[in-house]
C-alpha cells in the first residue's frame, strides 16, 4: 500500500508539472536586421529547458531564407510570422529584436488576438506612420549610421565590416568580438524604409513589454526610452549589455522574457 501511495503521489506530481508546462504560452522569437534565427540558439535552448515551446522565425531575404530583395516587404515579414504562429491554439508571447520590433508591431496590428504579449528587445517600437529609418534618424546617440552602406541598385543595406564588433558586441569577450563580424549579414532595404500603419483599436490594445539594453550602440538607450515614452508598455527590464544580449547575457535575457510571459 505504501508503494502504491508513493506511485500515486509521484503520478500526481508529474501531472501537476505537466499541467503547469501546458499552461505556459508558446514564445515566438523574431530576429532583427543583419541577423537570422540562429541568434536565438542559446535563448531557445534555455527557454525549452524551462518548459516553454519556442518558435524561431526566420525572415526572408537572407542566406538562410532566400528571397529576391525586390520581393521582400514588411507584409511578407508579417505573413511569415503569422504563418509560424498560426497553428497555436492560444495567444503567444512574441519577441522581436531590433528591427524585429517592426515585424512584431505589424503582426500585432494584423492579428492582436494571436498575441498574449509583444516583447520589444532593444527594438524599434513605432507609432503609426513611422519606419525603422525614421526612428533611427531620431537616435542622437546611435553610432550605427556612419557604418551603414546602402546599395540601391541591389536593394540591400550592409554594415561596414570593421565597425561590426564595436557596434554589435561592445562589452563582449574578445573571442566573440572576433567571430561576430562574420555572422552579420546584408539586409533587404525595402522593409527598413516602409512606414507602419497602426490603429488604437488593434495594435493599441496589445500587451507590451520593453527590454532595454543599457550599453547599446545601435538602438541607443536614448531612443529606447523615447519610444517607450511615446508608446507606454506594461513592464520594462534593463540589461547591462550592448545590442546583442542573446550572445552576452542569455540568463538575464531569458529571465526577462519569462517574466514578460507571466
Amino acid at each position: 500500500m505504501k508503494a502504491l501511495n508513493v506511485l500515486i503521489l509521484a503520478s500526481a506530481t508529474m501531472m501537476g508539472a505537466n499541467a503547469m508546462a501546458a499552461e505556459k504560452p508558446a514564445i515566438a522569437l523574431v530576429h532583427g536586421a543583419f541577423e537570422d534565427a540562429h541568434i536565438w540558439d542559446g535563448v531557445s535552448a534555455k527557454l525549452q529547458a524551462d518548459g516553454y515551446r519556442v518558435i524561431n522565425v526566420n525572415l526572408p531575404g537572407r542566406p538562410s531564407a532566400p528571397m529576391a530583395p525586390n520581393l521582400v516587404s514588411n507584409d511578407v515579414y508579417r505573413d511569415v510570422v503569422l504563418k509560424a504562429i498560426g497553428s497555436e491554439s492560444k495567444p503567444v508571447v512574441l519577441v522581436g529584436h531590433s528591427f524585429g520590433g517592426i515585424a512584431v508591431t505589424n503582426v500585432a496590428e494584423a492579428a492582436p488576438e494571436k498575441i498574449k504579449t509583444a516583447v520589444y528587445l532593444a527594438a524599434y517600437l513605432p507609432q503609426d506612420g513611422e519606419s525603422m529609418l525614421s526612428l533611427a534618424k531620431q537616435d542622437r546617440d546611435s553610432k550605427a549610421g556612419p557604418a551603414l552602406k546602402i546599395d540601391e541598385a541591389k536593394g540591400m543595406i550592409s554594415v561596414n565590416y570593421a565597425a561590426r564588433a564595436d557596434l554589435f558586441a561592445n562589452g563582449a569577450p574578445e573571442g566573440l568580438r572576433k567571430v561576430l563580424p562574420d555572422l552579420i549579414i546584408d539586409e533587404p532595404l525595402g522593409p527598413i524604409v516602409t512606414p507602419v500603419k497602426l490603429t488604437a483599436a488593434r495594435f493599441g490594445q496589445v500587451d507590451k513589454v520593453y527590454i532595454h539594453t543599457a550599453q547599446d550602440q545601435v538602438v541607443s538607450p536614448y531612443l529606447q526610452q523615447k519610444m517607450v515614452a511615446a508608446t507606454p508598455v506594461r513592464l520594462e527590464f534593463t540589461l547591462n549589455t550592448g545590442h546583442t544580449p542573446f550572445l552576452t547575457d542569455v540568463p538575464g535575457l531569458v529571465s526577462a522574457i519569462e517574466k514578460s510571459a507571466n
Side-chain angles (χ1 to χ4, degrees), residues 70-182:
N70 63 304
L71 299 179
V72 179
S73 68
N74 277 336
D75 288 351
V76 168
Y77 287 166
R78 176 201 63 206
D79 292 346
V80 166
V81 177
L82 285 171
K83 182 178 180 181
I85 66 175
S87 62
E88 296 298 316
S89 60
K90 295 182 179 180
V92 306
V93 175
L94 187 57
V95 183
H97 174 244
S98 194
F99 172 75
I102 300 292
V104 165
T105 298
N106 285 325
V107 172
E109 174 67 20
E113 71 282 357
K114 296 293 292 183
I115 302 177
K116 181 180 186 293
T117 299
V119 180
Y120 292 80
L121 168 61
Y124 293 99
L125 175 54
Q127 293 186 290
D128 182 48
E130 292 184 321
S131 66
M132 174 183 156
L133 180 62
S134 72
L135 286 168
K137 286 181 176 179
Q138 301 174 38
D139 195 347
R140 68 184 189 194
D141 294 338
S142 174
K143 297 181 180 179
L148 299 179
K149 180 181 179 181
I150 294 175
D151 188 333
E152 292 186 3
K154 293 182 179 179
M156 299 292 288
I157 183 170
S158 60
V159 181
N160 183 311
Y161 189 88
R164 292 177 179 181
D166 286 340
L167 282 175
F168 292 93
N170 57 306
E174 192 57 32
L176 177 57
R177 287 175 53 83
K178 286 182 178 179
V179 301
L180 184 134
D182 291 323

Side-chain angles (χ1 to χ4, degrees), residues 29 36-48 56 246-247 250:
L29 304 173
D36 66 15
H38 288 298
I39 65 163
W40 298 114
D41 286 352
V43 171
S44 295
K46 182 68 170 66
L47 287 171
Q48 288 169 343
N56 279 324
F246 40 79
L247 299 177
V250 171

Side-chain angles (χ1 to χ4, degrees), residues 196-229:
V196 299
K197 297 179 180 180
L198 305 176
T199 62
R202 299 182 70 80
F203 172 70
Q205 300 306 308
V206 172
D207 182 57
K208 303 174 186 71
V209 172
Y210 203 98
I211 303 175
H212 298 263
T213 39
Q215 307 301 323
D216 207 311
Q217 308 264 16
V218 179
V219 182
S220 77
Y222 163 77
L223 182 62
Q224 293 179 27
Q225 292 161 4
K226 183 177 181 180
M227 291 186 293
V228 169

